[in-house]
Amino acid sequence: MPVAMEWVAGGALGATLALVTTPIWSWLFRRTPEGDRWERREAPLPELARDLAGSYGGYAMVLTRSHKVVYTTAQAETLPVYEGTKLIHSGLLELAENAWNEDEMQSRRLSFTDLGPVADAEVRATRLADSYILLTVTDLTQTMRARQIRHDFIANIGHELRTPVTAVELIGSALEAGAEDPEMVRHFARRLSQESHRLARLTEDMMALAKAQDQDSSRFGEVNVLDVIQEAAGRHRTTSEEASIGVRVQASPGLTVFGDKEALVTAIDNLVANAVAYSPPGSEVLVSATLKSGEVAIAVVDQGIGIEAPDQERVFERFYRTDQARSRRTGGTGLGLAIVRNTVSGHGGRVTVQSEVGRGSAFTVWLPRRILGDSA
Ligand code: ADP
């Protein structure tokens, strides 16, 4: 073949090869963003991977082998775990890496201080064929918090029960030992009755709290507010008279709310009980109901010992008392205000407190007003 022909054939072959290989090359590889080398292109994200991640209601993302995030659910987008398009969270990366290397679903319970709203989570990583890793984060923060609250509550109940139960045991032994002495028997019988009363109150309050936390709105109906405050105040007539404390009731006419009358009476009853218990003889407690900015405001105002500012929010916590010894003397269970708060929030309302040490306290229950003709 003449040299010229060979040149032409060689050129044609080269051009054909270039024509065929260039698209293949650029299909498989591309320049790095820095432009200094070629990197393998990732296969396009298959619909299935996207659907899989998308159908996962919470936090889910799809990563490439090189930890580039190619898909996130709207929720996962808010996690502070990316730098540009790269996943940078070490805990998540480690799990993703394990899933890739083991080619097996990896699952781990992790606690985070840096995942924004997610404090506890179950994280799962799954390798999707040869190109991707699916990462899901199941938020367990609320579950863990609820578990902690339940745990603390049971521990608190144990602690609260231990005191009267131990007292009853000791009194029993003392009674036995002093059975011949009528004065001793009378003394210990009185103590026994006090401790049984405390146990009964604790049981009643625990049941009232459980009911307040799980309010049955099917029992709701139209409730006359004056009836509620009169009944609640009336339950303390004897105790307040014994302590020389005046309890006055005042209400704007015709106020009604939508709710469970018995539960509302119990809530206001707790506020009046505290007002009487933490007030000096000769003072007055005012229980009033008015309409304020469209809401029904039931206020229980006393001239008692008051509550220090840092305690004012904490008194609504279960078993929180500002003064253990005093609360024990007054026969308090430490659950009264927790019952109030739960009952009121179950009625779409709230409870607030204003107080000054040495001057008195005002607890106000705010409830939505029931307008005539409102339906449940
Ligand atoms: P308790 O059964 O101990 O009264 P509560 O939940 O009703 O429990 O109240 C929690 C704590 O809040 C009380 O122990 C007391 O320290 C404080 N407290 C509640 N109401 C008043 C009040 N009217 N005046 C002063 N302190 C109050």
Side-chain angles (χ1 to χ4, degrees):
M1 196 188 304
V3 177
M5 285 277 286
E6 278 179 12
W7 274 67
V8 171
L13 189 65
T16 315
L17 269 175
L19 262 171
V20 174
T21 53
T22 307
I24 295 176
W25 175 268
S26 47
W27 183 62
L28 287 172
F29 299 95
R30 65 165 183 195
R31 278 256 176 230
T32 56
E34 298 77 33
D36 55 349
R37 61 196 167 81
W38 291 92
E39 67 178 3
R40 206 186 147 142
R41 275 185 195 278
E42 277 117 15
L45 182 64
E47 277 297 301
L48 187 63
R50 188 183 295 262
D51 289 352
L52 213 61
S55 66
Y56 185 83
Y59 301 91
M61 63 188 83
V62 180
L63 318 175
T64 64
R65 170 79 186 95
S66 54
H67 307 150
K68 189 176 145 196
V69 181
V70 285
Y71 177 81
T72 67
T73 56
Q75 223 174 337
E77 209 177 308
T78 63
L79 291 175
V81 294
Y82 318 104
E83 202 171 82
T85 56
K86 283 253 173 184
L87 178 72
I88 52 154
H89 190 280
S90 56
L92 302 184
L93 281 175
E94 192 189 325
L95 207 68
E97 200 56 22
N98 289 351
W100 182 273
N101 294 331
E102 309 282 322
D103 196 8
E104 201 166 76
M105 198 267 280
Q106 304 286 312
S107 158
R108 201 173 298 164
R109 287 280 278 279
L110 293 174
S111 292
F112 300 98
T113 49
D114 53 358
L115 266 200
V118 184
D120 290 285
E122 165 141 6
V123 185
R124 289 182 174 192
T126 312
R127 181 171 167 172
L128 299 176
D130 270 345
S131 309
Y132 298 102
I133 305 156
L134 170 68
L135 208 67
T136 61
V137 178
T138 307
D139 187 1
L140 299 177
T141 313
Q142 293 305 328
T143 318
M144 297 304 278
R145 210 164 276 162
R147 195 173 291 175
Q148 185 62 40
I149 290 173
R150 209 167 46 233
H151 176 271
D152 290 350
F153 188 46
I154 291 170
N156 282 334
I157 290 175
H159 179 78
E160 296 291 330
L161 283 172
R162 198 171 304 129
T163 318
V165 167
T166 311
V168 167
E169 271 177 357
L170 292 174
I171 294 166
S173 312
L175 261 177
E176 208 175 359
E180 308 301 322
D181 179 347
E183 192 47 43
M184 279 257 273
V185 170
R186 257 196 300 279
H187 169 74
F188 285 119
R190 244 189 333 267
R191 290 283 322 277
L192 200 58
S193 139
Q194 276 168 2
E195 295 303 333
S196 328
H197 188 65
R198 190 185 301 283
L199 276 169
R201 275 208 60 184
L202 190 60
T203 316
E204 263 168 39
D205 276 3
M206 278 182 340
M207 281 161 65
L209 181 61
K211 203 169 143 202
Q213 281 173 332
D214 192 15
Q215 231 145 144
D216 177 10
S217 58
S218 67
R219 290 174 50 120
F220 281 19
E222 186 165 315
V223 179
N224 183 314
V225 178
L226 179 60
D227 289 350
V228 171
I229 61 175
Q230 265 174 344
E231 198 171 325
R235 290 185 187 175
H236 298 279
R237 199 122 292 146
T238 322
T239 0
S240 59
E241 274 168 11
E242 277 169 12
S244 310
I245 294 170
V247 177
R248 205 149 54 85
V249 172
Q250 206 175 63
S252 306
L255 284 182
T256 52
V257 292
F258 186 62
D260 177 344
K261 185 181 169 203
E262 197 42 50
L264 290 173
V265 171
T266 304
I268 306 303
D269 166 353
N270 279 320
L271 293 179
V272 180
N274 283 346
V276 172
Y278 299 106
S279 289
S283 62
E284 187 177 76
V285 172
L286 175 65
V287 189
S288 67
T290 46
L291 195 63
K292 278 191 186 154
S293 317
E295 281 180 296
V296 172
I298 305 175
V300 178
V301 184
D302 65 52
Q303 300 164 331
I305 58 171
I307 303 166
E308 300 211 25
D311 286 326
Q312 288 176 15
E313 188 47 36
R314 300 212 60 194
V315 289
F316 294 97
E317 292 172 18
R318 290 173 306 202
F319 299 118
Y320 187 85
R321 291 119 164 167
T322 59
D323 181 344
Q324 286 287 346
R326 188 175 185 123
S327 171
R328 240 187 103 70
R329 271 201 311 280
T330 59
T333 60
L335 290 176
L337 292 178
I339 295 171
V340 176
R341 175 175 269 179
N342 280 279
T343 305
V344 171
S345 72
H347 281 75
R350 64 194 196 286
V351 54
T352 56
V353 59
Q354 280 177 307
S355 187
E356 207 178 312
V357 174
R359 307 264 332 243
S361 311
F363 283 86
T364 310
V365 164
W366 303 85
L367 292 170
R369 184 190 185 191
R370 164 92 163 153
I371 315 259
L372 231 64
D374 270 4
S375 62

